[in-house]
Amino acid sequence: AIAVLFQLYLTTFGFGINFLTSMCGVQQIQLMLNPIFESSSPSDFWGRRWNLVIHGILKRGVYKPVRTRYSRWAASLAAFVASGIFHEWLLSIVFYTDGDDDDNHEVVHTNKIIDSIIPGYGRNTLFFVWNAILIGLEYAFGGAAMFQLMKRHLPLTVVSLLVTSTALPMVHWFTNDYVRSDFFWDSQIGFPIIVRVQ
């Protein structure tokens, strides 16, 4: 469910940016191509469907230069590590503290008091390294008869959900700080969220 929310947020953000830039006469690529429900492999998910703007930057700035000297898996690993570092940097902006030495200052939030959080640095990078490992496994075993049979005979949505599920064991490394910080609760301003009435 959290992955679908992230996809929804990024897709809507992408449509907004495309709308604004098109008003200035600049055409942008679509940010997301429904990766959760239409990906046929981990490399299809990350390379052709999820956050294509960042993918293009990492491909040109990291993958291709590394690929000129090393294997495609080493280049993929380098791109995923760079993505992890970039996301660590984003966390420092999203969870910016006010410079107060007290790490647990209280914030009033919709009639409840919550503690601001200090992000767990390193987890995002580990999540992206995990996905680089999955890409490496795809390079090594993706052509196996079993996987090709699944691609040919299962509906694309089922294949895509299987692909997405490969990241699930480690997805908490990426989503934990967003969930703990009430990122999704706060963002309901733009995206209504159904909540249980108590």
Side-chain angles (χ1 to χ4, degrees):
I2 291 174
V4 174
L5 282 175
F6 270 116
Q7 179 176 325
L8 176 65
Y9 293 153
L10 286 173
T11 301
T12 304
F13 175 75
F15 285 144
I17 294 295
N18 284 347
F19 173 74
L20 292 174
T21 57
S22 68
M23 291 175 56
C24 298
V26 177
Q27 185 63 35
Q28 296 289 326
I29 63 168
Q30 192 170 341
L31 187 63
M32 304 283 269
L33 295 176
N34 200 15
I36 292 178
F37 298 107
E38 294 183 6
S39 297
S40 60
S41 67
S43 61
D44 183 45
F45 181 95
W46 290 111
R48 290 182 283 283
R49 298 188 173 279
W50 185 269
N51 202 342
L52 298 176
V53 172
I54 297 300
H55 166 76
I57 292 167
L58 290 170
K59 186 171 186 176
R60 289 185 305 275
V62 179
Y63 180 88
K64 285 183 176 181
V66 173
R67 183 66 177 108
T68 60
R69 301 190 67 160
Y70 300 100
S71 70
R72 67 181 179 165
W73 186 80
S76 294
L77 178 62
F80 275 102
V81 167
S83 182
I85 292 168
F86 171 71
H87 283 83
E88 302 288 350
W89 175 76
L90 281 177
L91 281 178
S92 68
I93 292 172
V94 171
F95 304 114
Y96 174 76
T97 59
D98 59 6
D100 189 350
D101 288 337
D102 181 14
D103 288 345
N104 292 315
H105 58 282
E106 293 179 340
V107 179
V108 177
H109 179 74
T110 61
N111 297 328
K112 67 178 183 173
I113 296 178
I114 61 169
D115 291 331
S116 63
I117 68 159
I118 302 298
Y121 293 110
R123 290 192 291 242
N124 276 252
T125 302
L126 287 173
F127 171 74
F128 285 104
V129 167
W130 169 254
N131 282 285
I133 291 168
L134 294 175
I135 298 283
L137 291 171
E138 177 190 345
Y139 291 162
F141 303 109
M146 177 180 75
F147 296 115
Q148 296 307 312
L149 188 68
M150 290 170 59
K151 274 184 169 179
R152 282 195 304 274
H153 296 292
L154 292 176
L156 180 59
T157 303
V158 173
V159 171
S160 188
L161 291 174
L162 289 171
V163 167
T164 305
S165 70
T166 61
L168 288 179
M170 309 310 173
V171 76
H172 63 281
W173 288 341
F174 183 79
T175 60
N176 186 51
D177 291 318
Y178 296 98
V179 172
R180 285 179 41 229
S181 71
D182 285 341
F183 172 82
F184 295 107
W185 181 264
D186 293 337
S187 61
Q188 73 179 328
I189 293 167
F191 300 96
I193 297 175
I194 298 171
V195 295
R196 183 175 58 178
V197 177
Q198 298 185 20

